């Protein structure tokens, strides 16, 4: 009797049905959560609570957005912002990762570069804008400097932490097996730090978008950030929100893409990458 | 005999080195010197960089600094950053605890946060201008918004990563659900909560500078942009340094408070 | 002293327990019946990953059985309680409290006794486990052995009826481990409360046990209960006795058989594991 009961019990647990999955507490609550944002927004606008009367309703935003997407301006703006983010963030990767690896690995490098970095790090990226304009006088390029600065420090610090967290025994094992410093770099330092580097890259990408928007709002003539600012000045409020949504989607997608690519590079420590992410990102 | 003293001499020198010469420090100072030298050479000899102020010019600018104006601007920026930060802590921390501790609240609130979070805080500036009439409240809202998500996410993460053994042990000792939060969950999550606060402080400074650069309501961001507009570049660099220093002071402040709350971690 | 007069027993009746995740469902315990006798030290031994920790969690009340009953003194276990205290595998001392505060935690959380009394008992227990000098140190500042002793003190101050030890000496170095075992033996012989000790090391099991429960692979149940009728008080000198060797050989055979089943199930090896097992069998006759 007992056995039969247990077998039945196992079977029940083995197959969660489609219906139970869809109507689980979690999915229901999640749906409520997402839908309620729009509902509350629409209601606040509709009943003109406080200054919400100034805000466009979700329907308006959708309508303007649909139109905006078909215009050429939208695609130029999107391309412009994306290009800046990509240039800036890639530059941050190219400089940040090797520098971080060397700083984390060799004490000499860390001594030589850390004081400077510690001085430069607390300066918020927008404050670099005047210098960026001096260095890269053509306006559209100078904006790319902000995502670069924004992304550089997360990438650099994550790389350094990644190297520092490598177990000392790996280095000793590699030395015992007769590795040259160069082999140690390629076979211990780089792969060992990869999980941390990958999360640094994802964070850098996320913050890079913020940097590009800041730069464009302050001194751009093109780009999604500038378009938001222009819509504000021209009182085209629905476009402001459309611009925010467009940036949000692009930033989210690019972060996810980087994470996906880098996790493929480090299949052996997926779990750790994810947990590190959560502790280091916002 | 002379041979001996030579050996003795070299040994003495080695011991002297080991005791009194901190090579790490020497290298650190050296690196600063090289940096300043490199900067000077770059500006002096390469035409492309001629507009950038030399270190000497920046140094001399210190003496021309309009101290009362700068102090006032620093005060304004500090007020905005700290105001937003504290509101962020006051709201973000309980929210983080709630969605970290209660699964239902997590399912109910977290997805909408995930939906809003990818929008860079800066992009909210036009909307904040619609909502808040005076600039102070706009700036404080922005710094609050920048600080909010790092605090919420880290508090939540810290709580969800508490080792299951700890609440289990406490449960066995007869700790109820309400006391559990105070006695076990929160102390265990503290280190990560403060990691979040440090990040939040960084974001608050980025946002305050950006917001001030875009308006003319004072603050260090405005001071930088003003000097850029009148092409007084030594002062731009100096102001950048001052902002960096302010940011570092705030971050150290959070660190000190954090160390107090996580003093057991000092021994790890 | 800290001994309780009332002695409790724990009984498992046809317990079944599964682990259910999105993709993998496993049955950990099935038809598991066992008996932790009152005032005795019962040792649970079995191949790694056979669900020994699940047994502990079920008794402690952290998990519920899917089928069957877990009874303590005839009453079903309904949830965690200070009558059944666990000493965890990895240390579960609260890292933000000092050694002293950790031991004080139970009584102050429940307010069962006055603060002065709690203080007196804490100091007495810390003295007993040799940690009175380290009372104001945080757990991270203590060595592995000290952490385990602090944890023992933290449990004992609550006067539990049943102590559940979940591989508590795992990860200690060999010498410390031996010392801790003797230490634990003294403590048990002094308090005489019901103990369930989970381990995967046979020598440790025999030296401690009144009764040895050998578990099978998953889905696991008790394969055999061996009475360890070695005289008490014990110490490591007992390892040379004839009876010790007999018990060890018997248990080893059982364990070896389970281990081979497990390794055959989880992957092939080129080394013939069966050979040693056969030799052992023939040697015993």
């Amino acid at each position: 009797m007992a056995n039969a009961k247990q077998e039945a019990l196992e079977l029940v647990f083995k197959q969660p049905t489609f219906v139970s999955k869809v109507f689980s507490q979690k999915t229901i609550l999640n749906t409520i959560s997402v839908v309620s944002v729009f509902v509350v927004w629409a209601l606040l606008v509709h009943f003109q609570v406080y200054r919400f009367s100034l805000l466009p309703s979700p329907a308006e935003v959708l309508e303007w957005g649909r139109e905006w997407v078909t215009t050429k301006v939208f695609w130029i703006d999107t391309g412009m912002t994306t290009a800046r983010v990509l240039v800036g963030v890639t530059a941050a990767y190219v400089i940040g990762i090797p520098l971080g690896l060397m700083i984390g690995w060799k004490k000499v490098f860390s001594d030589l570069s850390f004081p400077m970095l510690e001085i430069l790090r607390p300066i918020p990226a927008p404050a670099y804008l005047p210098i960026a304009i001096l260095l890269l006088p053509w306006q559209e390029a100078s904006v790319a400097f902000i995502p670069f600065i924004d992304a550089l420090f997360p990438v650099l610090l994550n790389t350094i932490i990644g190297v520092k967290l490598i177990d000392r025994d790996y280095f000793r094992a590699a030395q015992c097996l007769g590795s040259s410093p160069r082999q140690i770099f390629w076979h211990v330092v780089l792969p060992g730090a990869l999980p941390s580097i990958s999360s640094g890259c994802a964070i850098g990408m996320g913050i890079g978008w913020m940097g590009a928007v800041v730069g464009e709002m302050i001194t751009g003539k093109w780009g999604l950030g500038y378009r938001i600012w222009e819509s504000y000045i021209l009182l085209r409020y629905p476009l402001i929100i459309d611009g925010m949504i467009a940036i949000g989607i692009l930033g989210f997608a690019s972060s996810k893409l980087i994470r996906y690519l880098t996790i493929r590079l480090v299949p052996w420590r997926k779990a750790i990458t994810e947990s590190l992410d959560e502790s280091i990102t916002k | 005999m002379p041979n001996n003293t030579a050996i003795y001499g070299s040994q003495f020198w080695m011991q002297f080195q080991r005791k009194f010469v901190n090579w790490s420090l020497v290298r650190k100072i050296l690196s600063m010197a090289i940096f300043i030298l490199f900067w000077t050479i770059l500006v002096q000899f390469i035409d492309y960089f001629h507009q950038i102020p030399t270190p000497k010019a920046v140094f001399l600018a210190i003496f021309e600094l309009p101290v009362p104006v700068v102090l006032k601007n620093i005060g304004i920026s500090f007020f905005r950053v700290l105001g937003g930060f504290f509101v962020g802590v006051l709201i973000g921390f309980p929210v983080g605890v709630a969605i970290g501790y209660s699964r239902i609240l997590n399912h109910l609130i977290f997805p909408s946060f995930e939906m809003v979070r990818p929008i860079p805080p800066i992009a909210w500036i036009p909307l904040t201008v619609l909502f808040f009439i005076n600039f102070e409240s706009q700036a404080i809202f922005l710094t609050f918004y920048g600080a909010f998500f790092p605090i919420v996410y880290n508090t939540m993460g810290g709580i969800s990563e508490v080792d299951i053994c700890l609440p289990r042990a406490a449960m066995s000792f007869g700790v109820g659900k309400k006391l559990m939060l105070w006695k076990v969950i929160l102390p265990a999550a503290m280190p990560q909560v403060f990691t979040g606060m440090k990040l939040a402080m960084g974001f608050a400074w980025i946002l305050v500078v950006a917001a001030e650069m875009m308006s003319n309501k004072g603050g260090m961001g405005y001071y930088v942009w003003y000097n850029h507009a009148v092409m007084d570049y030594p002062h731009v660099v100096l102001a950048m340094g001052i902002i960096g220093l302010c940011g570092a002071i705030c971050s150290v402040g959070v660190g000190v408070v954090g160390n107090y709350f996580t003093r057991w971690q000092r021994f790890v | 002293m800290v001994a309780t007069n009332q002695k409790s027993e724990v009984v498992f009746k046809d317990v079944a327990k599964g682990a259910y995740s999105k993709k993998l469902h496993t049955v950990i315990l099935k038809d598991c019946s066992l008996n932790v006798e009152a005032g005795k030290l019962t040792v649970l031994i079995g191949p790694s990953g056979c669900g020994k920790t699940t047994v502990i969690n079920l008794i402690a009340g952290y998990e519920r059985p899917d089928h069957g009953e877990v009874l303590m003194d005839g009453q079903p276990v309904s949830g965690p309680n200070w009558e059944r205290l666990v000493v965890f595998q990895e240390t579960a001392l609260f890292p933000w409290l000092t050694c002293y505060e950790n031991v004080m935690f139970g009584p102050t959380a429940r307010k069962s006794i006055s603060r002065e009394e709690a203080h007196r008992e804490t100091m007495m227990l810390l003295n007993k486990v040799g940690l009175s000098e380290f009372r104001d140190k945080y757990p991270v500042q203590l060595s592995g052995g000290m952490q385990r002793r602090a944890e023992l003190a933290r449990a004992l101050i609550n006067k539990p009826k049943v102590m559940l030890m979940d591989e508590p000496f795992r990860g200690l170095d060999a010498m410390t481990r031996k010392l801790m075992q003797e230490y634990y033996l003294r403590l048990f012989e002094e308090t005489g409360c019901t103990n369930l000790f989970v381990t995967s090391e046979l020598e440790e099991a025999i030296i401690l046990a009144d009764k040895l429960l050998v578990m099978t692979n998953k889905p696991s149940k008790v394969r055999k209960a061996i009475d360890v009728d070695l005289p008490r008080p014990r110490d490591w000198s007992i390892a040379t006795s004839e009876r010790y060797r007999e018990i060890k050989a018997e248990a080893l055979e059982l364990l070896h058989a389970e281990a081979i089943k497990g390794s055959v199930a989880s992957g092939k090896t080129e080394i013939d594991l069966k050979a040693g097992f056969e030799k052992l069998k023939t040697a015993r006759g």
Side-chain angles (χ1 to χ4, degrees), chain B residues 163 165-166 168-175 179 183-184 187-188 263-264 267-268, chain C residues 57 62 80-82 85 88 92-96 105 109-110 138 141 154 158:
Chain B
D163 185 359
C165 283
L166 300 178
R168 274 185 170 178
M171 243 149 69
S172 285
F173 292 134
V175 176
L179 264 180
K183 289 228 157 190
V184 181
R263 47 192 177 282
W264 46 276
F267 307 105
V268 174
Chain C
N57 284 343
Y62 301 140
N81 194 305
W82 57 95
L85 286 183
F88 289 92
L93 290 168
F94 300 118
W96 56 90
F105 185 89
R110 277 200 312 282
Y138 288 101
Q141 293 171 285
R154 186 177 70 160
N158 297 289

Tab-separated table of all heavy atoms in Angstrom, chain B residues 163 165-166 168-175 179 183-184 187-188 263-264 267-268, chain C residues 57 62 80-82 85 88 92-96 105 109-110 138 141 154 158:
chain	number	residue	atom	x	y	z
B	163	ASP	N	22.931	32.329	3.961
B	163	ASP	CA	23.073	30.882	4.099
B	163	ASP	C	21.867	30.312	4.852
B	163	ASP	O	21.547	30.745	5.952
B	163	ASP	CB	24.370	30.599	4.875
B	163	ASP	CG	24.646	29.116	4.960
B	163	ASP	OD1	23.835	28.329	4.432
B	163	ASP	OD2	25.669	28.749	5.548
B	165	CYS	N	21.407	27.809	6.525
B	165	CYS	CA	21.672	27.259	7.863
B	165	CYS	C	21.386	28.273	8.971
B	165	CYS	O	20.945	27.888	10.052
B	165	CYS	CB	23.144	26.835	7.988
B	165	CYS	SG	23.494	25.300	7.175
B	166	LEU	N	21.652	29.557	8.707
B	166	LEU	CA	21.539	30.545	9.779
B	166	LEU	C	20.086	30.736	10.228
B	166	LEU	O	19.802	30.594	11.423
B	166	LEU	CB	22.168	31.874	9.355
B	166	LEU	CG	23.651	31.790	8.996
B	166	LEU	CD1	24.168	33.147	8.552
B	166	LEU	CD2	24.472	31.295	10.175
B	168	ARG	N	17.731	28.680	9.788
B	168	ARG	CA	17.287	27.385	10.303
B	168	ARG	C	17.720	27.207	11.752
B	168	ARG	O	16.928	26.802	12.600
B	168	ARG	CB	17.877	26.261	9.456
B	168	ARG	CG	17.021	25.975	8.255
B	168	ARG	CD	17.525	24.794	7.500
B	168	ARG	NE	16.558	24.403	6.480
B	168	ARG	CZ	16.744	23.417	5.619
B	168	ARG	NH1	17.865	22.727	5.642
B	168	ARG	NH2	15.827	23.126	4.742
B	169	ALA	N	18.990	27.526	12.015
B	169	ALA	CA	19.478	27.403	13.389
B	169	ALA	C	18.660	28.299	14.306
B	169	ALA	O	18.226	27.878	15.378
B	169	ALA	CB	20.956	27.782	13.447
B	170	ALA	N	18.414	29.535	13.851
B	170	ALA	CA	17.664	30.479	14.689
B	170	ALA	C	16.255	29.970	14.950
B	170	ALA	O	15.726	30.110	16.049
B	170	ALA	CB	17.615	31.850	14.024
B	171	MET	N	15.657	29.364	13.907
B	171	MET	CA	14.326	28.802	14.065
B	171	MET	C	14.323	27.759	15.174
B	171	MET	O	13.421	27.712	16.003
B	171	MET	CB	13.897	28.146	12.761
B	171	MET	CG	12.697	28.774	12.122
B	171	MET	SD	12.746	28.647	10.341
B	171	MET	CE	12.539	26.938	10.019
B	172	SER	N	15.346	26.923	15.182
B	172	SER	CA	15.433	25.893	16.208
B	172	SER	C	15.533	26.498	17.599
B	172	SER	O	15.033	25.934	18.558
B	172	SER	CB	16.646	25.006	15.975
B	172	SER	OG	16.393	24.146	14.907
B	173	PHE	N	16.199	27.659	17.692
B	173	PHE	CA	16.352	28.271	19.008
B	173	PHE	C	15.089	28.992	19.441
B	173	PHE	O	15.060	29.607	20.499
B	173	PHE	CB	17.525	29.259	19.013
B	173	PHE	CG	18.837	28.576	18.876
B	173	PHE	CD1	19.781	29.048	17.988
B	173	PHE	CD2	19.136	27.458	19.617
B	173	PHE	CE1	20.991	28.403	17.855
B	173	PHE	CE2	20.345	26.821	19.481
B	173	PHE	CZ	21.273	27.294	18.594
B	174	GLY	N	14.054	28.956	18.598
B	174	GLY	CA	12.789	29.547	19.000
B	174	GLY	C	12.611	30.977	18.573
B	174	GLY	O	11.851	31.715	19.185
B	175	VAL	N	13.317	31.416	17.504
B	175	VAL	CA	13.136	32.777	17.006
B	175	VAL	C	11.954	32.784	16.044
B	175	VAL	O	11.914	31.996	15.102
B	175	VAL	CB	14.398	33.266	16.284
B	175	VAL	CG1	14.184	34.640	15.686
B	175	VAL	CG2	15.565	33.294	17.244
B	179	LEU	N	11.064	38.389	14.601
B	179	LEU	CA	12.401	38.612	15.149
B	179	LEU	C	13.480	38.130	14.190
B	179	LEU	O	14.588	38.647	14.181
B	179	LEU	CB	12.540	37.863	16.477
B	179	LEU	CG	12.268	38.680	17.733
B	179	LEU	CD1	12.437	37.799	18.949
B	179	LEU	CD2	13.193	39.869	17.803
B	183	LYS	N	17.083	39.771	13.840
B	183	LYS	CA	18.185	39.092	14.533
B	183	LYS	C	19.104	38.350	13.577
B	183	LYS	O	20.271	38.134	13.884
B	183	LYS	CB	17.600	38.103	15.554
B	183	LYS	CG	16.960	38.803	16.724
B	183	LYS	CD	17.448	38.187	17.996
B	183	LYS	CE	17.294	39.170	19.131
B	183	LYS	NZ	17.954	38.741	20.324
B	184	VAL	N	18.584	37.894	12.453
B	184	VAL	CA	19.391	37.029	11.595
B	184	VAL	C	19.529	37.562	10.175
B	184	VAL	O	20.639	37.767	9.686
B	184	VAL	CB	18.796	35.602	11.551
B	184	VAL	CG1	19.649	34.705	10.685
B	184	VAL	CG2	18.670	35.049	12.950
B	187	PRO	N	21.319	41.342	9.787
B	187	PRO	CA	22.767	41.351	10.033
B	187	PRO	C	23.533	40.580	8.966
B	187	PRO	O	24.599	41.017	8.530
B	187	PRO	CB	22.899	40.665	11.402
B	187	PRO	CG	21.581	40.762	12.024
B	187	PRO	CD	20.570	40.851	10.937
B	188	ALA	N	22.973	39.465	8.515
B	188	ALA	CA	23.690	38.656	7.531
B	188	ALA	C	23.763	39.355	6.185
B	188	ALA	O	24.706	39.163	5.436
B	188	ALA	CB	23.013	37.295	7.378
B	263	ARG	N	31.350	45.100	11.500
B	263	ARG	CA	32.692	45.074	12.091
B	263	ARG	C	33.231	43.657	12.229
B	263	ARG	O	34.430	43.445	12.209
B	263	ARG	CB	32.734	45.805	13.422
B	263	ARG	CG	31.629	45.464	14.394
B	263	ARG	CD	31.622	46.484	15.540
B	263	ARG	NE	30.541	46.231	16.464
B	263	ARG	CZ	29.273	46.572	16.219
B	263	ARG	NH1	28.956	47.158	15.088
B	263	ARG	NH2	28.337	46.309	17.102
B	264	TRP	N	32.338	42.668	12.295
B	264	TRP	CA	32.811	41.288	12.383
B	264	TRP	C	33.547	40.868	11.137
B	264	TRP	O	34.292	39.903	11.133
B	264	TRP	CB	31.629	40.367	12.642
B	264	TRP	CG	30.446	40.651	11.769
B	264	TRP	CD1	29.486	41.596	11.988
B	264	TRP	CD2	30.117	40.023	10.549
B	264	TRP	NE1	28.574	41.577	10.970
B	264	TRP	CE2	28.927	40.624	10.072
B	264	TRP	CE3	30.701	38.990	9.796
B	264	TRP	CZ2	28.323	40.237	8.893
B	264	TRP	CZ3	30.081	38.609	8.635
B	264	TRP	CH2	28.916	39.235	8.179
B	267	PHE	N	37.771	40.737	10.408
B	267	PHE	CA	38.715	39.663	10.730
B	267	PHE	C	38.746	38.569	9.678
B	267	PHE	O	39.488	37.622	9.791
B	267	PHE	CB	38.362	39.065	12.086
B	267	PHE	CG	38.241	40.097	13.161
B	267	PHE	CD1	37.008	40.487	13.637
B	267	PHE	CD2	39.378	40.721	13.662
B	267	PHE	CE1	36.902	41.463	14.613
B	267	PHE	CE2	39.280	41.691	14.636
B	267	PHE	CZ	38.038	42.056	15.109
B	268	VAL	N	37.878	38.683	8.671
B	268	VAL	CA	37.817	37.620	7.661
B	268	VAL	C	39.143	37.539	6.918
B	268	VAL	O	39.632	38.554	6.485
B	268	VAL	CB	36.664	37.871	6.672
B	268	VAL	CG1	36.695	36.863	5.540
B	268	VAL	CG2	35.354	37.784	7.408
C	57	ASN	N	17.275	16.873	8.672
C	57	ASN	CA	16.329	17.959	8.429
C	57	ASN	C	14.914	17.557	8.807
C	57	ASN	O	14.138	18.380	9.301
C	57	ASN	CB	16.362	18.377	6.960
C	57	ASN	CG	17.596	19.197	6.650
C	57	ASN	OD1	18.247	19.700	7.560
C	57	ASN	ND2	17.922	19.310	5.381
C	62	TYR	N	12.841	20.988	9.689
C	62	TYR	CA	13.028	21.928	8.593
C	62	TYR	C	12.303	21.454	7.337
C	62	TYR	O	11.988	22.227	6.462
C	62	TYR	CB	14.518	22.104	8.263
C	62	TYR	CG	15.332	22.593	9.421
C	62	TYR	CD1	16.601	22.089	9.671
C	62	TYR	CD2	14.833	23.577	10.270
C	62	TYR	CE1	17.343	22.534	10.735
C	62	TYR	CE2	15.573	24.030	11.340
C	62	TYR	CZ	16.833	23.505	11.567
C	62	TYR	OH	17.566	23.944	12.618
C	80	PRO	N	10.524	23.266	13.582
C	80	PRO	CA	11.754	23.401	14.354
C	80	PRO	C	11.460	23.774	15.804
C	80	PRO	O	10.522	24.509	16.071
C	80	PRO	CB	12.482	24.556	13.657
C	80	PRO	CG	11.827	24.718	12.346
C	80	PRO	CD	10.442	24.236	12.484
C	81	ASN	N	12.260	23.246	16.689
C	81	ASN	CA	12.035	23.467	18.104
C	81	ASN	C	13.366	23.264	18.816
C	81	ASN	O	14.212	22.523	18.340
C	81	ASN	CB	11.009	22.437	18.591
C	81	ASN	CG	10.464	22.799	19.934
C	81	ASN	OD1	11.226	22.995	20.873
C	81	ASN	ND2	9.163	22.890	20.019
C	82	TRP	N	13.535	23.937	19.975
C	82	TRP	CA	14.809	23.797	20.673
C	82	TRP	C	14.948	22.464	21.387
C	82	TRP	O	15.945	22.209	22.029
C	82	TRP	CB	15.041	24.952	21.630
C	82	TRP	CG	13.958	25.124	22.663
C	82	TRP	CD1	13.979	24.619	23.916
C	82	TRP	CD2	12.737	25.831	22.512
C	82	TRP	NE1	12.835	24.960	24.564
C	82	TRP	CE2	12.030	25.709	23.732
C	82	TRP	CE3	12.157	26.555	21.474
C	82	TRP	CZ2	10.796	26.276	23.938
C	82	TRP	CZ3	10.915	27.113	21.685
C	82	TRP	CH2	10.247	26.978	22.903
C	85	LEU	N	18.013	20.016	18.411
C	85	LEU	CA	18.949	21.009	17.898
C	85	LEU	C	19.989	20.369	16.985
C	85	LEU	O	20.462	19.267	17.229
C	85	LEU	CB	19.650	21.724	19.047
C	85	LEU	CG	18.773	22.731	19.786
C	85	LEU	CD1	19.584	23.433	20.854
C	85	LEU	CD2	18.184	23.742	18.827
C	88	PHE	N	25.440	21.938	12.551
C	88	PHE	CA	25.478	21.815	11.096
C	88	PHE	C	26.854	21.406	10.573
C	88	PHE	O	27.870	21.545	11.245
C	88	PHE	CB	25.083	23.132	10.446
C	88	PHE	CG	23.630	23.453	10.608
C	88	PHE	CD1	23.193	24.215	11.681
C	88	PHE	CD2	22.710	22.994	9.708
C	88	PHE	CE1	21.859	24.518	11.833
C	88	PHE	CE2	21.371	23.288	9.841
C	88	PHE	CZ	20.945	24.046	10.915
C	92	ALA	N	27.421	27.009	11.548
C	92	ALA	CA	26.263	27.900	11.444
C	92	ALA	C	26.236	28.865	12.614
C	92	ALA	O	25.188	29.347	13.003
C	92	ALA	CB	24.976	27.104	11.374
C	93	LEU	N	27.414	29.159	13.179
C	93	LEU	CA	27.481	30.223	14.180
C	93	LEU	C	27.164	31.529	13.472
C	93	LEU	O	27.517	31.700	12.303
C	93	LEU	CB	28.900	30.309	14.760
C	93	LEU	CG	29.353	29.161	15.650
C	93	LEU	CD1	30.844	29.260	15.879
C	93	LEU	CD2	28.619	29.184	16.969
C	94	PHE	N	26.483	32.447	14.150
C	94	PHE	CA	26.173	33.719	13.512
C	94	PHE	C	27.458	34.546	13.438
C	94	PHE	O	28.025	34.887	14.477
C	94	PHE	CB	25.096	34.465	14.295
C	94	PHE	CG	23.820	33.685	14.399
C	94	PHE	CD1	23.329	33.293	15.618
C	94	PHE	CD2	23.131	33.318	13.251
C	94	PHE	CE1	22.148	32.557	15.703
C	94	PHE	CE2	21.963	32.587	13.324
C	94	PHE	CZ	21.474	32.195	14.558
C	95	PRO	N	27.911	34.861	12.223
C	95	PRO	CA	29.233	35.492	12.116
C	95	PRO	C	29.296	36.893	12.712
C	95	PRO	O	30.374	37.396	12.976
C	95	PRO	CB	29.495	35.527	10.606
C	95	PRO	CG	28.184	35.335	9.960
C	95	PRO	CD	27.325	34.574	10.916
C	96	TRP	N	28.129	37.549	12.910
C	96	TRP	CA	28.164	38.911	13.430
C	96	TRP	C	28.080	38.960	14.954
C	96	TRP	O	28.040	40.029	15.531
C	96	TRP	CB	27.040	39.737	12.818
C	96	TRP	CG	25.691	39.136	13.043
C	96	TRP	CD1	24.863	39.371	14.081
C	96	TRP	CD2	25.047	38.184	12.220
C	96	TRP	NE1	23.739	38.606	13.965
C	96	TRP	CE2	23.811	37.876	12.829
C	96	TRP	CE3	25.383	37.544	11.018
C	96	TRP	CZ2	22.925	36.955	12.283
C	96	TRP	CZ3	24.494	36.641	10.482
C	96	TRP	CH2	23.278	36.361	11.103
C	105	PHE	N	22.543	33.342	22.537
C	105	PHE	CA	21.475	33.626	21.577
C	105	PHE	C	20.158	32.918	21.906
C	105	PHE	O	19.109	33.549	21.973
C	105	PHE	CB	21.929	33.262	20.167
C	105	PHE	CG	20.946	33.641	19.102
C	105	PHE	CD1	21.001	34.888	18.520
C	105	PHE	CD2	19.963	32.761	18.683
C	105	PHE	CE1	20.109	35.259	17.541
C	105	PHE	CE2	19.052	33.131	17.704
C	105	PHE	CZ	19.132	34.384	17.138
C	109	ALA	N	16.819	34.856	23.054
C	109	ALA	CA	15.791	34.961	22.017
C	109	ALA	C	14.451	34.471	22.555
C	109	ALA	O	13.414	35.026	22.252
C	109	ALA	CB	16.181	34.171	20.784
C	110	ARG	N	14.496	33.433	23.382
C	110	ARG	CA	13.256	32.864	23.911
C	110	ARG	C	12.837	33.493	25.220
C	110	ARG	O	11.726	33.341	25.669
C	110	ARG	CB	13.445	31.359	24.153
C	110	ARG	CG	13.272	30.491	22.953
C	110	ARG	CD	12.999	29.089	23.389
C	110	ARG	NE	13.913	28.601	24.403
C	110	ARG	CZ	15.148	28.188	24.187
C	110	ARG	NH1	15.625	28.203	22.968
C	110	ARG	NH2	15.911	27.754	25.151
C	138	TYR	N	35.049	36.900	17.381
C	138	TYR	CA	34.034	36.551	16.381
C	138	TYR	C	34.361	35.174	15.801
C	138	TYR	O	35.528	34.768	15.783
C	138	TYR	CB	34.017	37.595	15.267
C	138	TYR	CG	33.434	38.904	15.713
C	138	TYR	CD1	34.250	39.984	16.034
C	138	TYR	CD2	32.063	39.058	15.847
C	138	TYR	CE1	33.724	41.189	16.463
C	138	TYR	CE2	31.533	40.258	16.274
C	138	TYR	CZ	32.357	41.314	16.579
C	138	TYR	OH	31.821	42.493	17.014
C	141	GLN	N	37.379	34.413	13.783
C	141	GLN	CA	38.694	34.468	14.424
C	141	GLN	C	39.052	33.153	15.108
C	141	GLN	O	40.151	32.997	15.588
C	141	GLN	CB	38.712	35.599	15.466
C	141	GLN	CG	38.609	36.973	14.874
C	141	GLN	CD	38.419	38.018	15.946
C	141	GLN	OE1	37.347	38.148	16.512
C	141	GLN	NE2	39.476	38.756	16.232
C	154	ARG	N	26.601	26.293	22.169
C	154	ARG	CA	25.408	27.047	21.801
C	154	ARG	C	24.165	26.151	21.808
C	154	ARG	O	23.075	26.582	22.150
C	154	ARG	CB	25.597	27.659	20.414
C	154	ARG	CG	24.471	28.575	20.027
C	154	ARG	CD	24.703	29.221	18.707
C	154	ARG	NE	24.595	28.278	17.607
C	154	ARG	CZ	24.381	28.643	16.345
C	154	ARG	NH1	24.308	29.914	16.049
C	154	ARG	NH2	24.300	27.735	15.399
C	158	ASN	N	20.615	25.206	25.530
C	158	ASN	CA	19.159	25.134	25.404
C	158	ASN	C	18.583	23.856	25.995
C	158	ASN	O	17.387	23.642	25.922
C	158	ASN	CB	18.771	25.236	23.932
C	158	ASN	CG	19.172	26.563	23.346
C	158	ASN	OD1	18.584	27.581	23.656
C	158	ASN	ND2	20.221	26.556	22.548
